[in-house]
Amino acid sequence: MALKIVTAGERLAEANNKTTLAIFGPSGVGKTSLLKTLPARETLCIDLEAGMKSVQDWPGDSIPVRTFGDAIDIGCLVGGVDPAVPPDGFFSEAHYRHLAATNPDLVRLIASKRIIFVDSITDLTRQAMAWARMRPEAFSEKTGKPDTRGAYGLLAREVIGLLKHLQHAQAKTVIFVGILEKVTDEFSRAVWQPQMEGGKAARELPGIVDQVISMSFFSVDGEGWRHEPERGETRRLVCRAGNPFGLPAKDRSGRLDVTEPPDLGALLSKINATTKG
């Protein structure tokens, strides 16, 4: 196979045309409502949690997904063919051709969108766990009894594979939304972390996406902000690692402030700016 040389100009054009984000926030903070800050005609919502009621007046298109198998199929149509997978594997040419032949309207819909909003990655991992528990790998070869370790291993492998496949979708900005939970350890120290089934998928996610963002409530504190998830009145997006709030975040673009307003349209414009400012 001939290797393709990517010029600096091509690389810059691709970087300014797409990005991947993972946005986590406590339940009830209004993560799904971020859809209203994106261009409706260019955005497709992959609804994994039947959670569109809060944005029922949003004029964009959505696809309800209730099983991990359906999520894999949608991921294949969004990301296209992965030439590295076996001929009979997920995201293979045969997989894509079958889906494209049976869902031509869906292919045209996805092609017309440049932003894919996945709501939520928390529910995606729950669906993946339900799927994994039914697979042969989730049962002991010796006893035939359920093997929890095997199920979690399969969950991690397939979820990470799906996330990486979506990351490589050409000319698509992919936004994963999930729940941020507060966990207290044995020393009574509180830590905020993404709520996902399977620790391996949660640990690897920050290395897959370009941006990790935490969304929460804040109160004005002088010229800055004080994190008050229960009592705060202002929603903010925390975008940079090492922030004073101890919230998960990463900014690969280097263009975001520690906190930003909860406007994804403005955030994407800032990330994709051709010059820092």
Side-chain angles (χ1 to χ4, degrees), residues 20-102:
T20 51
L21 299 87
I23 303 175
F24 294 96
S27 296
V29 76
K31 299 181 292 296
T32 304
S33 68
L34 290 171
L35 269 173
K36 295 184 176 182
T37 67
L38 293 168
R41 293 184 63 182
E42 301 174 64
T43 303
L44 176 64
C45 177
I46 308 302
D47 174 25
L48 291 117
E49 58 176 18
M52 299 294 290
K53 185 174 179 61
S54 62
V55 290
Q56 56 188 345
D57 58 339
W58 180 65
D61 297 310
S62 64
I63 301 175
V65 175
R66 298 295 171 262
T67 70
F68 186 64
D70 288 343
I72 287 288
D73 287 346
I74 294 296
C76 184
L77 289 175
V78 171
V81 175
D82 182 349
V85 302
D88 59 346
F90 293 147
F91 317 129
S92 65
E93 183 174 357
H95 185 196
Y96 181 85
R97 286 184 178 275
H98 170 72
L99 293 173
T102 54

Side-chain angles (χ1 to χ4, degrees), residues 59-266:
D61 297 310
S62 64
I63 301 175
V65 175
R66 298 295 171 262
T67 70
F68 186 64
D70 288 343
I72 287 288
D73 287 346
I74 294 296
C76 184
L77 289 175
V78 171
V81 175
D82 182 349
V85 302
D88 59 346
F90 293 147
F91 317 129
S92 65
E93 183 174 357
H95 185 196
Y96 181 85
R97 286 184 178 275
H98 170 72
L99 293 173
T102 54
N103 302 276
D105 292 340
L106 193 52
V107 172
R108 286 191 289 270
L109 176 67
I110 291 172
S112 70
K113 308 296 182 180
R114 68 177 182 88
I115 301 173
I116 308 296
F117 188 92
V118 181
D119 187 18
S120 69
I121 193 171
T122 302
D123 280 270
L124 174 66
T125 59
R126 289 170 181 163
Q127 291 181 8
M129 191 59 187
W131 172 84
R133 283 177 173 154
M134 302 301 294
R135 305 292 294 176
E137 297 94 323
F139 295 89
S140 170
E141 292 183 359
K142 293 182 178 180
T143 66
K145 293 182 179 180
D147 178 4
T148 302
R149 185 169 55 182
Y152 273 108
L154 181 60
L155 159 75
R157 184 167 65 250
E158 298 304 338
V159 167
I160 291 169
L162 174 57
L163 297 179
K164 288 184 175 180
H165 189 69
L166 289 172
Q167 175 203 23
H168 287 96
Q170 291 188 355
K172 304 286 187 192
T173 284
V174 181
I175 302 170
F176 302 103
V177 175
I179 294 175
L180 185 68
E181 63 177 346
K182 186 178 182 180
V183 178
T184 303
D185 64 17
E186 63 269 24
F187 301 106
S188 299
R189 295 175 301 193
V191 178
W192 291 91
Q193 62 184 33
Q195 186 183 97
M196 296 171 61
E197 291 280 352
K200 182 175 176 59
R203 289 192 300 271
E204 292 206 17
L205 177 64
I208 295 173
V209 297
D210 298 312
Q211 315 289 139
V212 177
I213 296 170
S214 290
M215 180 179 184
S216 193
F217 286 110
F218 293 80
S219 297
V220 175
D221 185 11
E223 296 183 354
W225 299 96
R226 182 172 62 256
H227 185 213
E228 294 190 330
E230 289 83 21
R231 297 178 297 172
E233 298 180 351
T234 302
R235 299 187 307 162
R236 299 286 292 180
L237 303 177
V238 179
C239 306
R240 290 172 61 177
N243 60 79
F245 318 110
L247 294 173
K250 180 186 79 170
D251 175 24
R252 189 171 285 171
S253 74
R255 294 168 178 161
L256 302 180
D257 294 330
V258 174
T259 74
E260 296 279 355
D263 184 332
L264 292 187

